[in-house]
Amino acid sequence: MTPSDRGAQTRPAGDLSLVLVLGLAAMIVSMMQTLVVPILSIIQSDLGTSTANVSWVTTATLLSAAVFTPLLGRFGDMHGKKPTLIGVLLLMIAGSVLAATTTSLLWLIVGRVLQGAATAIFPLALSVLREEMPPAKLHGAMAMVSGTLAVGSGFALVAAGLLTRGADPDYHRVFWLAVALAAVALVGVLVRVPASRSTTGGRTDWLGAVTLAALLVLLLLPISQGHEWGWGSVRTLGLFVAAVVMAAVWVFVERSVRGPMVDMRMFVHRPVLFTNLAGLFLGFAMFSQFIGVAYLVQMPKELTGYGFGASVLRASVEYLLPTTVVSLLAAQLGGILVGRIGARFTLVVGAVFGVAGFAWLTLAHGSSASIILAGLLIGVAVSFGYAAMPALIVASVPHHQTGIANGLNSISRSVGSAIASAVITSLLASRTIAHLPAGVPALPAESQFTLSFAIAGVAFVMIVAVALVGLTRGATPAYAAAGESASPAEAMTGPAAGGVAELAGDRAEEKAAAATA
């Protein structure tokens, strides 16, 4: 009997309260990424710092998330999801309190580093769902929790705009909101999330964690700061070269230690590898829509000939919030489609919506209606992608690797978002409008927005290609077979001795979900 089967017998079918608690906790993940975007200029003014320095308020969280997510995802697999979730939320609350009370840029950045730990909540939440939800409800529950990621992004933008209105805005209120939400989520986890039924135990692979953290920092730092440093600068190119070297070191470490944090067979396992590639493209497209639309609608039409002169709050509520709302509504439909047509084709359907949405933005972004309706299509695409990718991961790895596998998928989306931020920012700065009035800062030419939306559409085309060509059926047995003869001592270097049975149980769960959906 698989752990999922036991969970189906010992828990009520469809524990909605558990899903809602995990959804609230997961919503905080995306909130931490976008919460400060509308208030960066306020922080810069209040703290009297430069644009380059204040950009570390966002970069610090990105780098922290890249480090914390795989480490805490693996820690949850080894020592229990509930205590790890509690620890993550406590770190996030500590960081939020620090950010809400300090007037120092350095300590604000430290607070944002601690907030970055929140990114590990999402893979941990999916691991809890896999263990606790009955098979027929699993895909729908994962889709609902995944859908809250989009809700968190939109809610953070709107809340930050509302809390900093007025002639004397105080950015500290935004961080107090994060404290309150994280505290509610912590209470929910303490009350509703059950203790893990089983853990793998073992020692933490600190050497693998350190080398992976170094690799991610060396990769993400030049991606996020390249537009400030210059893409051809010695510092940028040197860090990219160092990232390549560190990647080789990390692979060597993980192949050498007895209990690696990341099983290299799982990392290069075809369904996992291509799902992560799809995650990178999805993260790129999603953030391209967010940053592209946010900048576009704020352009002063009387100076540029395009745009709507919207405030930050109006941009969030009128143009971006509808995308957020439809993402949440489409999440349940995405879960149903996963059960009916499979995760692979759900990913394809979503990507087709994304291609249509960005084609619309590329060809017709001159009216508010076009931007909003195109955003609705993109919201459906993102929601279907979020519903499909966890299902693809869950069906491809044993239970004891669910946390780390979904953690790596979260990192792939974060890398895609970081690349999108760098690419779109660089594109908008590369060609500006000539002959602006004196004292007006440089403003991007409209063609740069058109190009940005077209590139984001290509990212969704790549997701279609990855799903149809890379995520082919019949790729699972080669990875799972290694676990069939694994001894207990080898359980940490590959699937446990019951790996094949667990994967067979996962396929049975998919069939049961399809039959009962």
Side-chain angles (χ1 to χ4, degrees), residues 81-92:
K81 286 82 174 178
K82 182 173 183 174
T84 308
L85 273 172
I86 292 171
V88 170
L89 285 166
L90 288 174
L91 277 177
M92 193 249 164

Side-chain angles (χ1 to χ4, degrees), residues 188-251:
V189 169
L190 288 169
V191 173
R192 295 303 305 139
V193 175
S196 297
R197 303 179 188 283
S198 61
T199 57
T200 62
R203 294 180 300 175
T204 302
D205 175 21
W206 292 110
L207 184 58
V210 169
T211 51
L212 177 59
L215 163 61
L216 292 170
V217 170
L218 291 171
L219 175 64
L220 291 174
L221 190 56
I223 289 175
S224 60
Q225 295 292 312
H227 63 284
E228 291 281 349
W229 298 342
W231 293 107
S233 68
V234 173
R235 181 162 42 172
T236 301
L237 296 177
L239 285 173
F240 279 128
V241 171
V244 173
V245 173
M246 186 54 65
V249 172
W250 174 62
V251 171

Side-chain angles (χ1 to χ4, degrees), residues 139-141 143 330-342 346 384 387 513-514 517:
H139 293 314
Q332 282 302 294
L333 178 58
I336 293 172
L337 285 178
V338 169
R340 294 286 178 86
I341 65 175
T346 300
F384 283 11

Side-chain angles (χ1 to χ4, degrees), residues 75-296:
F75 193 87
D77 288 338
M78 293 169 59
H79 303 294
K81 286 82 174 178
K82 182 173 183 174
T84 308
L85 273 172
I86 292 171
V88 170
L89 285 166
L90 288 174
L91 277 177
M92 193 249 164
I93 290 172
S96 300
V97 170
L98 179 58
T101 55
T102 187
T103 55
S104 161
L105 178 63
L106 174 61
W107 286 111
L108 175 59
I109 291 173
V110 172
R112 291 288 290 164
V113 168
L114 294 176
Q115 284 184 324
T119 309
I121 293 172
F122 181 62
L124 289 168
L126 295 181
S127 295
V128 172
L129 290 177
R130 185 180 189 185
E131 189 171 85
E132 299 299 328
M133 294 299 292
K137 301 290 185 179
L138 179 60
H139 293 314
M142 289 195 302
M144 179 177 285
V145 171
S146 299
T148 61
L149 294 176
V151 175
S153 297
F155 177 75
L157 293 170
V158 175
L162 289 172
L163 290 172
T164 54
R165 287 190 305 171
D168 187 23
D170 182 4
Y171 71 85
H172 294 94
R173 299 172 189 164
V174 176
F175 294 113
W176 282 120
L177 173 65
V179 173
L181 290 174
V184 173
L186 177 60
V187 172
V189 169
L190 288 169
V191 173
R192 295 303 305 139
V193 175
S196 297
R197 303 179 188 283
S198 61
T199 57
T200 62
R203 294 180 300 175
T204 302
D205 175 21
W206 292 110
L207 184 58
V210 169
T211 51
L212 177 59
L215 163 61
L216 292 170
V217 170
L218 291 171
L219 175 64
L220 291 174
L221 190 56
I223 289 175
S224 60
Q225 295 292 312
H227 63 284
E228 291 281 349
W229 298 342
W231 293 107
S233 68
V234 173
R235 181 162 42 172
T236 301
L237 296 177
L239 285 173
F240 279 128
V241 171
V244 173
V245 173
M246 186 54 65
V249 172
W250 174 62
V251 171
F252 174 78
V253 168
E254 295 300 85
R255 291 177 65 90
S256 301
V257 298
R258 183 176 182 181
M261 183 175 74
V262 178
D263 185 344
M264 285 292 108
R265 292 173 299 174
M266 180 269 289
F267 188 71
V268 299
H269 179 42
R270 184 171 181 140
V272 175
L273 180 64
F274 280 94
T275 301
N276 288 339
L277 185 59
L280 186 145
F281 288 127
L282 183 67
F284 180 94
M286 180 180 65
F287 209 76
S288 295
Q289 188 255 350
F290 159 66
I291 194 171
V293 168
Y295 277 125
L296 173 66

